[in-house]
Amino acid sequence: MRVSTTLFSLCWFLLLAGCSDIFSQKPAVTVGAHVLLDDHLSELQNKRVGLVMNPTARVESSHMVDTLLIHDINITALFAPEHGFRGDVGAGETIEDGVDQSTGLPVYSLYGQTRTPTPEMLKKVDILLLDIQDVGARFYTYNATLGNIIEAASAENIPVWILDRPNPAGGELISGWMMQPEHQSFVGQYPIPMVHGMTLGELAEMMVGEGWIENADSTDIRVIPMKGWNRSMKWPDTGLEWIPPSPNLPTFYHAYVYLGTVLFEGTNLSEGRGTNDPFLRVGSPSTKLTTSHIAQLRRQFSGVNIERRSFTATSMPGKAPNPKHQDKRSHGVAIQVTNPNAFNPVELGVELLSTMMDATHNAELNDFIQKLSGINRDSLLQQIQNQSYQKSWEKTTSSFHKQRQQYLIYD
C-alpha cells in the first residue's frame, strides 16, 4: 500500500510539473523591446529618451513607457503616429499635440499638420526608441513614420533605436505592385512592393542603405533584434498575443486579409468599416453577386471560406465614424480564414475586386487606389481585366527579393 501511494504521489508530481510547463510556456519569439529590457537598459542611463510608440509597444501586460519609467529611465518626450500613442484615434483622424494622462509627459503628433519631428520637439532628446508593431504593408503608415523619424533625428545627431517586432505575414511573402514615383505619398513613401516581407528594423536598414531618406550618410540607427523569429513564421507561429495595431485590425486574420482587401478603400464599395469585421466584409447596396461569382472565387482560393453575405455599416466612433454606405444594407461577401499559409491575401484582394466590380453596375475606382496600389488606375484595371497582374508581380518579387537581401537580419 505504501509503495502504491508513493508511486501515485510521484506520478501526480510529474503530472503537475508537466502542466506547470504548459501553463508557463513562453512565446517562441522574444521581441526587441524585451531584449532591450534584458540586455541594454544600462545603455540608456543618463540619457534623455524619446519614445515613438503606439499601443502595441507592450511587453507582457505593460506599455513600454510605463515599464521604462519603472526602471528609472528618463523619458522626456512621446511621439504619436497614426492612431495615437495609446491607440485611441481612428484611421485617418488628425492627432493633436497634448499630454499623456497616465504619465504627464508631452505627446507630439506625427499624424497631423506635422508628420516629422521638428528640432524643437527633439530639443530635450538624446536618443529615440521606436517600438511599433507593423503589418508588413507599404501603405500602412508606420514605415513612412519610421523614415521621417530617422531623417529628423539624423539632422539633430540623435541616434534612433528600432525595437524590432515580427512581420505578421511572415518574411517570405513579397506581393503586389511596386510603388511608382508619381504616386508617392504618406501611404506609399518608398519604392517597395505592396507587401514586402520585412520587419521595420530591416526596412530601416534598407532606407538608409539605399539612400531613400535625407541625411542617409549621417544616420545613426541601431536595430535591437528579436530572438527566435525566422522568415517562415506568420503571426500564429510566434506565440505572441495580438494587440491591434489599429482599431480596424482586431485580429491577425483581419490584418492578413487587409493586405489585399485594402484596395476597396480606393473604390465606392465598402471595405467593411463600420462592422465587426472590417476588411473581411466587402460589398455595396447595388452589388448583385451570383452563385457563379462565388463558385469561381472558391475554385481559385483554398485556406479561406468565401460566403455571400449582406451587412449594414454603422457609425463606430474611434473606429469608423463615417463608414461608406452608412446605415444602408450592403450585399457582398464574408471572408473567413482557415489557413493563412494556403493563399496570397493580395491576390485574393485583387480577385475579389474584379468580381465585385463585375457584380456592381455603378462600381468606381477613385484616385486613392493609385496610392494604395502604387500604379496608374488605368494600368491597374487593364492588368486585372487581362489577368496580367501576376506576371507584373513576379518581376517585382524577383527584383525586390535580390535588392533587399543584404538588409535582412533574420534567416
Side-chain angles (χ1 to χ4, degrees), residues 297-310:
L297 287 169
R298 288 174 176 171
R299 282 193 295 269
Q300 287 179 278
F301 296 98
S302 57
V304 61
N305 291 331
I306 301 172
E307 303 286 346
R308 191 158 45 177
R309 188 75 54 84
S310 295

Side-chain angles (χ1 to χ4, degrees), residues 175-177 346-347 350 389-397:
S175 191
W177 292 279
V346 191
E347 185 176 341
V350 168
Y389 71 88
Q390 291 173 325
K391 290 184 179 180
S392 173
W393 292 4
E394 286 173 6
K395 293 179 182 178
T396 294
T397 298

Side-chain angles (χ1 to χ4, degrees), residues 31-176:
V31 297
H34 207 301
V35 174
L36 174 83
L37 296 173
D38 287 345
D39 302 335
H40 303 289
L41 269 186
S42 61
E43 299 173 55
L44 298 178
Q45 296 298 325
N46 302 317
K47 300 286 188 183
R48 298 174 300 173
V49 180
L51 306 181
V52 187
M53 297 182 178
N54 73 354
T56 62
R58 305 183 79 86
V59 172
E60 297 172 349
S61 61
S62 178
H63 195 287
M64 275 295 285
V65 63
D66 304 315
T67 301
L68 290 169
L69 287 170
I70 289 172
H71 284 87
D72 294 324
I73 301 302
N74 181 23
I75 310 299
T76 55
L78 309 178
F79 296 88
E82 185 177 9
H83 306 296
F85 191 85
R86 297 278 182 178
D88 51 359
V89 182
E93 292 186 38
T94 299
I95 297 170
E96 303 293 342
D97 292 349
V99 175
D100 180 56
Q101 296 301 310
S102 297
T103 63
L105 290 166
V107 180
Y108 299 110
S109 169
L110 299 181
Y111 197 76
Q113 291 184 346
T114 300
R115 295 187 175 179
T116 300
T118 65
E120 185 64 27
M121 294 177 185
L122 296 172
K123 193 172 183 180
K124 296 181 180 179
V125 174
D126 298 320
I127 186 170
L128 277 170
L129 305 185
L130 184 141
D131 184 18
I132 299 175
Q133 177 60 60
D134 194 34
V135 301
R138 181 189 65 222
F139 39 78
Y140 210 59
T141 61
Y142 296 152
N143 68 76
T145 294
L146 169 64
N148 290 349
I149 285 287
I150 295 173
E151 284 187 357
S154 63
E156 302 299 318
N157 298 311
I158 296 173
V160 177
W161 292 10
I162 298 96
L163 314 185
D164 222 5
R165 289 182 179 264
N167 183 323
E172 297 174 339
L173 179 63
I174 302 173
S175 191

Side-chain angles (χ1 to χ4, degrees), residues 198 206 400-409:
M198 300 176 75
M206 191 170 191
F400 187 72
H401 186 273
K402 295 176 183 177
Q403 185 184 13
R404 74 173 193 166
Q405 198 63 36
Q406 63 180 307
Y407 305 110
L408 300 184
I409 299 171

